[in-house]
mmCIF file with all atom_site columns, all heavy atoms in Angstrom:
data_model
loop_
_atom_site.group_PDB
_atom_site.id
_atom_site.type_symbol
_atom_site.label_atom_id
_atom_site.label_alt_id
_atom_site.label_comp_id
_atom_site.label_asym_id
_atom_site.label_entity_id
_atom_site.label_seq_id
_atom_site.pdbx_PDB_ins_code
_atom_site.Cartn_x
_atom_site.Cartn_y
_atom_site.Cartn_z
_atom_site.occupancy
_atom_site.B_iso_or_equiv
_atom_site.pdbx_formal_charge
_atom_site.auth_seq_id
_atom_site.auth_comp_id
_atom_site.auth_asym_id
_atom_site.auth_atom_id
_atom_site.pdbx_PDB_model_num
ATOM 1  N N   . LYS W 1 273 ? 72.332 140.484 77.655 1.00 89.00 ? 300 LYS W N   1
ATOM 2  C CA  . LYS W 1 273 ? 72.129 141.919 77.478 1.00 89.00 ? 300 LYS W CA  1
ATOM 3  C C   . LYS W 1 273 ? 70.655 142.294 77.405 1.00 89.00 ? 300 LYS W C   1
ATOM 4  O O   . LYS W 1 273 ? 70.316 143.403 77.006 1.00 89.00 ? 300 LYS W O   1
ATOM 5  C CB  . LYS W 1 273 ? 72.868 142.386 76.218 1.00 89.00 ? 300 LYS W CB  1
ATOM 6  C CG  . LYS W 1 273 ? 74.382 142.242 76.328 1.00 89.00 ? 300 LYS W CG  1
ATOM 7  C CD  . LYS W 1 273 ? 75.104 142.790 75.108 1.00 89.00 ? 300 LYS W CD  1
ATOM 8  C CE  . LYS W 1 273 ? 76.612 142.646 75.269 1.00 89.00 ? 300 LYS W CE  1
ATOM 9  N NZ  . LYS W 1 273 ? 77.355 143.159 74.084 1.00 89.00 ? 300 LYS W NZ  1
ATOM 10 N N   . TYR W 1 274 ? 69.794 141.363 77.783 1.00 85.00 ? 301 TYR W N   1
ATOM 11 C CA  . TYR W 1 274 ? 68.365 141.665 77.775 1.00 85.00 ? 301 TYR W CA  1
ATOM 12 C C   . TYR W 1 274 ? 68.007 142.512 78.987 1.00 85.00 ? 301 TYR W C   1
ATOM 13 O O   . TYR W 1 274 ? 68.667 142.466 80.029 1.00 85.00 ? 301 TYR W O   1
ATOM 14 C CB  . TYR W 1 274 ? 67.542 140.380 77.724 1.00 85.00 ? 301 TYR W CB  1
ATOM 15 C CG  . TYR W 1 274 ? 67.722 139.636 76.419 1.00 85.00 ? 301 TYR W CG  1
ATOM 16 C CD1 . TYR W 1 274 ? 68.690 138.651 76.295 1.00 85.00 ? 301 TYR W CD1 1
ATOM 17 C CD2 . TYR W 1 274 ? 66.956 139.960 75.306 1.00 85.00 ? 301 TYR W CD2 1
ATOM 18 C CE1 . TYR W 1 274 ? 68.884 137.985 75.096 1.00 85.00 ? 301 TYR W CE1 1
ATOM 19 C CE2 . TYR W 1 274 ? 67.143 139.301 74.101 1.00 85.00 ? 301 TYR W CE2 1
ATOM 20 C CZ  . TYR W 1 274 ? 68.114 138.310 74.002 1.00 85.00 ? 301 TYR W CZ  1
ATOM 21 O OH  . TYR W 1 274 ? 68.303 137.674 72.811 1.00 85.00 ? 301 TYR W OH  1
ATOM 22 N N   . ALA W 1 275 ? 66.933 143.272 78.845 1.00 79.00 ? 302 ALA W N   1
ATOM 23 C CA  . ALA W 1 275 ? 66.594 144.288 79.858 1.00 79.00 ? 302 ALA W CA  1
ATOM 24 C C   . ALA W 1 275 ? 66.195 143.689 81.200 1.00 79.00 ? 302 ALA W C   1
ATOM 25 O O   . ALA W 1 275 ? 66.330 144.335 82.239 1.00 79.00 ? 302 ALA W O   1
ATOM 26 C CB  . ALA W 1 275 ? 65.471 145.183 79.327 1.00 79.00 ? 302 ALA W CB  1
ATOM 27 N N   . ASN W 1 276 ? 65.698 142.456 81.205 1.00 87.00 ? 303 ASN W N   1
ATOM 28 C CA  . ASN W 1 276 ? 65.088 141.937 82.422 1.00 87.00 ? 303 ASN W CA  1
ATOM 29 C C   . ASN W 1 276 ? 65.964 140.946 83.185 1.00 87.00 ? 303 ASN W C   1
ATOM 30 O O   . ASN W 1 276 ? 65.446 140.140 83.964 1.00 87.00 ? 303 ASN W O   1
ATOM 31 C CB  . ASN W 1 276 ? 63.763 141.253 82.084 1.00 87.00 ? 303 ASN W CB  1
ATOM 32 C CG  . ASN W 1 276 ? 63.971 139.975 81.270 1.00 87.00 ? 303 ASN W CG  1
ATOM 33 O OD1 . ASN W 1 276 ? 64.978 139.834 80.592 1.00 87.00 ? 303 ASN W OD1 1
ATOM 34 N ND2 . ASN W 1 276 ? 63.028 139.058 81.352 1.00 87.00 ? 303 ASN W ND2 1
ATOM 35 N N   . VAL W 1 277 ? 67.270 140.960 82.971 1.00 91.00 ? 304 VAL W N   1
ATOM 36 C CA  . VAL W 1 277 ? 68.122 139.974 83.645 1.00 91.00 ? 304 VAL W CA  1
ATOM 37 C C   . VAL W 1 277 ? 68.790 140.528 84.902 1.00 91.00 ? 304 VAL W C   1
ATOM 38 O O   . VAL W 1 277 ? 69.422 139.778 85.644 1.00 91.00 ? 304 VAL W O   1
ATOM 39 C CB  . VAL W 1 277 ? 69.200 139.400 82.690 1.00 91.00 ? 304 VAL W CB  1
ATOM 40 C CG1 . VAL W 1 277 ? 68.546 138.661 81.538 1.00 91.00 ? 304 VAL W CG1 1
ATOM 41 C CG2 . VAL W 1 277 ? 70.119 140.501 82.191 1.00 91.00 ? 304 VAL W CG2 1
ATOM 42 N N   . HIS W 1 278 ? 68.657 141.820 85.157 1.00 92.00 ? 305 HIS W N   1
ATOM 43 C CA  . HIS W 1 278 ? 69.250 142.412 86.360 1.00 92.00 ? 305 HIS W CA  1
ATOM 44 C C   . HIS W 1 278 ? 68.146 142.742 87.361 1.00 92.00 ? 305 HIS W C   1
ATOM 45 O O   . HIS W 1 278 ? 67.220 143.501 87.064 1.00 92.00 ? 305 HIS W O   1
ATOM 46 C CB  . HIS W 1 278 ? 70.050 143.666 86.006 1.00 92.00 ? 305 HIS W CB  1
ATOM 47 C CG  . HIS W 1 278 ? 71.270 143.362 85.184 1.00 92.00 ? 305 HIS W CG  1
ATOM 48 N ND1 . HIS W 1 278 ? 72.427 142.859 85.733 1.00 92.00 ? 305 HIS W ND1 1
ATOM 49 C CD2 . HIS W 1 278 ? 71.504 143.465 83.852 1.00 92.00 ? 305 HIS W CD2 1
ATOM 50 C CE1 . HIS W 1 278 ? 73.329 142.678 84.796 1.00 92.00 ? 305 HIS W CE1 1
ATOM 51 N NE2 . HIS W 1 278 ? 72.796 143.032 83.630 1.00 92.00 ? 305 HIS W NE2 1
ATOM 52 N N   . TRP W 1 279 ? 68.267 142.163 88.556 1.00 92.00 ? 306 TRP W N   1
ATOM 53 C CA  . TRP W 1 279 ? 67.236 142.277 89.577 1.00 92.00 ? 306 TRP W CA  1
ATOM 54 C C   . TRP W 1 279 ? 67.881 142.616 90.921 1.00 92.00 ? 306 TRP W C   1
ATOM 55 O O   . TRP W 1 279 ? 69.088 142.789 91.025 1.00 92.00 ? 306 TRP W O   1
ATOM 56 C CB  . TRP W 1 279 ? 66.441 140.969 89.680 1.00 92.00 ? 306 TRP W CB  1
ATOM 57 C CG  . TRP W 1 279 ? 65.682 140.645 88.442 1.00 92.00 ? 306 TRP W CG  1
ATOM 58 C CD1 . TRP W 1 279 ? 66.181 140.110 87.288 1.00 92.00 ? 306 TRP W CD1 1
ATOM 59 C CD2 . TRP W 1 279 ? 64.301 140.867 88.209 1.00 92.00 ? 306 TRP W CD2 1
ATOM 60 N NE1 . TRP W 1 279 ? 65.192 139.973 86.357 1.00 92.00 ? 306 TRP W NE1 1
ATOM 61 C CE2 . TRP W 1 279 ? 64.023 140.423 86.890 1.00 92.00 ? 306 TRP W CE2 1
ATOM 62 C CE3 . TRP W 1 279 ? 63.254 141.381 88.977 1.00 92.00 ? 306 TRP W CE3 1
ATOM 63 C CZ2 . TRP W 1 279 ? 62.744 140.484 86.330 1.00 92.00 ? 306 TRP W CZ2 1
ATOM 64 C CZ3 . TRP W 1 279 ? 61.982 141.438 88.431 1.00 92.00 ? 306 TRP W CZ3 1
ATOM 65 C CH2 . TRP W 1 279 ? 61.742 141.003 87.122 1.00 92.00 ? 306 TRP W CH2 1
ATOM 66 N N   . THR W 1 280 ? 67.038 142.655 91.938 1.00 92.00 ? 307 THR W N   1
ATOM 67 C CA  . THR W 1 280 ? 67.512 142.873 93.304 1.00 92.00 ? 307 THR W CA  1
ATOM 68 C C   . THR W 1 280 ? 66.821 141.882 94.227 1.00 92.00 ? 307 THR W C   1
ATOM 69 O O   . THR W 1 280 ? 65.604 141.701 94.138 1.00 92.00 ? 307 THR W O   1
ATOM 70 C CB  . THR W 1 280 ? 67.205 144.306 93.782 1.00 92.00 ? 307 THR W CB  1
ATOM 71 O OG1 . THR W 1 280 ? 67.847 145.238 92.915 1.00 92.00 ? 307 THR W OG1 1
ATOM 72 C CG2 . THR W 1 280 ? 67.697 144.524 95.199 1.00 92.00 ? 307 THR W CG2 1
#
Side-chain angles (χ1 to χ4, degrees):
K300 295 184 179 179
Y301 294 92
N303 68 335
V304 297
H305 293 282
W306 296 78
T307 300

